[in-house]
Amino acid sequence: EVQLVESGGGLVQPGRSLRLSCAASGFTFPDYAMHWVRQAPGKGLEWVSGISWDSGVVAYADSVKGRFTISRDNAKNSLYLQMNGLRAEDMALYYCAKDWGPLPRGYMDVWGKGTTVTVSS
Amino acid sequence: DIQMTQSPSTLSASVGDRITITCRASQSISSWLAWYQQKPGKAPKLLIYKASSLESGVPSRFSGSGSGTEFTLTISSLQPDDFATYYCQQYNSYSPPFGQGTKVEIK
């Protein structure tokens, strides 16, 4: 079964850091680009970041550029999102999603259930 | 950056109705458009890609059309399981925006 399982969310104070993880199974993880997409409470979907199959291409939304870093470990079938300088507006459910192709510019055909990030003092 | 605008924001309909949701791009995106369905408390699910290609396992009552800047998602006969929020997404760029969503609710 194709599966993505996110972890690492939690309550964090403004300005602090958090690292999200996504464990992939059921498909050849190294062959595909991956994304992080978030959804603030009661709001729509917002693409956050994407990474190519070989980590050669990374992309970020303007809202997180310079604060968030996406990475992957193909040997561990894992995707990560390092979030620094967290703000109240970063509070959301963060989804890990698989791209249909090797570059992070396609549609997302598999999604995890998400991990919640709460930013509050 | 390309902006995606969906209409309507909310749509009230009954079981058996034919419904159409529109998604407009701020500039031409050829056929690089996907549609997703999201139910409350659940992750989004891919329905359609490349504007009109049905993802495997998705019922044939769902269909997509359009190219350039205007796209539609049609459900030919609304079923109870279809009440959800639907999002369009432009892709084939390194900053793939989503539309703001259309909530389909029971009339």
Side-chain angles (χ1 to χ4, degrees):
Chain A
E1 179 192 5
V2 175
Q3 198 171 13
L4 297 170
V5 179
E6 302 92 337
S7 61
L11 173 63
V12 61
Q13 293 178 328
R16 303 300 290 264
S17 299
L18 206 59
R19 189 194 196 207
L20 305 184
S21 299
C22 171
S25 60
F27 66 98
T28 308
F29 180 77
D31 286 354
Y32 298 96
M34 297 293 294
H35 301 268
W36 289 100
V37 176
R38 68 185 180 185
Q39 187 168 35
K43 302 296 185 183
L45 301 173
E46 180 189 14
W47 175 81
V48 173
S49 183
I51 187 168
S52 63
W53 67 282
D54 62 350
S55 304
V57 176
V58 294
Y60 300 95
D62 287 344
S63 57
V64 307
K65 203 171 290 182
R67 299 187 298 122
F68 289 12
T69 302
I70 190 171
S71 62
R72 64 190 294 163
D73 185 335
N74 285 346
K76 294 183 177 179
N77 287 350
S78 293
L79 175 72
Y80 307 101
L81 186 68
Q82 178 67 42
M83 304 185 295
N84 298 332
L86 282 161
R87 305 168 179 168
E89 54 264 36
D90 296 319
M91 187 161 65
L93 180 62
Y94 283 72
Y95 292 106
C96 166
K98 170 188 168 291
D99 197 291
W100 78 277
L103 296 177
R105 51 189 297 152
Y107 56 86
M108 299 159 200
D109 59 1
V110 180
W111 295 67
K113 294 182 177 180
T115 187
T116 299
V117 173
T118 302
V119 183
S120 175
S121 54
Chain B
D1 289 355
I2 298 174
Q3 311 294 326
M4 308 301 294
T5 304
Q6 288 181 232
S7 61
S9 297
T10 306
L11 191 160
S12 297
S14 301
V15 172
D17 284 353
R18 178 185 179 89
I19 68 164
T20 297
I21 298 168
T22 298
C23 177
R24 290 186 173 86
S26 59
Q27 64 189 71
S28 177
I29 59 170
S30 186
S31 295
W32 304 118
L33 188 95
W35 289 97
Y36 302 87
Q37 176 194 65
Q38 187 180 33
K39 297 179 181 177
K42 300 293 186 182
K45 173 188 172 184
L46 176 68
L47 297 177
I48 286 170
Y49 59 94
K50 210 170 182 185
S52 61
S53 296
L54 202 64
E55 173 72 347
S56 175
V58 174
S60 58
R61 62 180 180 273
F62 291 91
S63 64
S65 65
S67 66
T69 62
E70 187 152 336
F71 303 85
T72 59
L73 172 70
T74 298
I75 306 176
S76 60
S77 177
L78 201 61
Q79 298 301 301
D81 192 47
D82 301 337
F83 291 96
T85 300
Y86 294 85
Y87 295 91
C88 63
Q89 182 216 358
Q90 180 266 331
Y91 61 95
N92 202 40
S93 73
Y94 288 125
S95 179
F98 291 89
Q100 80 277 19
T102 294
K103 184 177 181 180
V104 176
E105 57 183 27
I106 300 173
K107 194 172 188 179

